[in-house]
Amino acid sequence: HFDCTEGERKCEDENTDGTKEYSCSTDGLCLGVSFQGFPAGEGNKDRSRPSLGLNGPAQVQIVQGDAYTRCSPAQLETGKPCDWGARALDSVQGDLAGRIKATCFLESIQG
């Protein structure tokens, strides 16, 4: 059992040795062991957080057994559920979208 403070969620991260590590989000963001922090140096005095956002909906419904992958143009045209990606902009480092790591943690719902 893993409890996070109100407004935060459980995060899962994989260590370099393949083991899983769990933590709570910070301001809604899962940083985990893969977050390397801010680079040192005189040119990085701005320590503000990057601007993060989703390119598509925050929630999607997927039929059990169907694939959920990054969107292709065909999927966007048909409306089939797919991952639209995200954007991340930093005032010092610029566009960080290529450094976004998508993770997923599923909890089974028993009813």
Side-chain angles (χ1 to χ4, degrees), residues 62-77:
I62 305 164
V63 176
Q64 184 175 356
D66 279 2
Y68 184 71
T69 59
R70 180 114 178 137
C71 293
S72 69
Q75 285 173 305
L76 291 172
E77 290 176 14

Side-chain angles (χ1 to χ4, degrees), residues 12 20 102-106:
E12 179 183 292
K20 302 285 185 188
T103 60
C104 179
F105 178 77
L106 300 174

Side-chain angles (χ1 to χ4, degrees), residues 3 6-7 10 17 20-21 42-43 53 56 59 64 74-75 86 94 101 105 107 110:
D3 289 323
E6 186 175 340
K10 183 178 179 179
D17 64 1
K20 302 285 185 188
E21 185 174 303
E42 189 64 28
Q59 295 182 354
Q64 184 175 356
Q75 285 173 305
K101 179 181 174 185
F105 178 77
E107 292 187 38
Q110 310 249 338

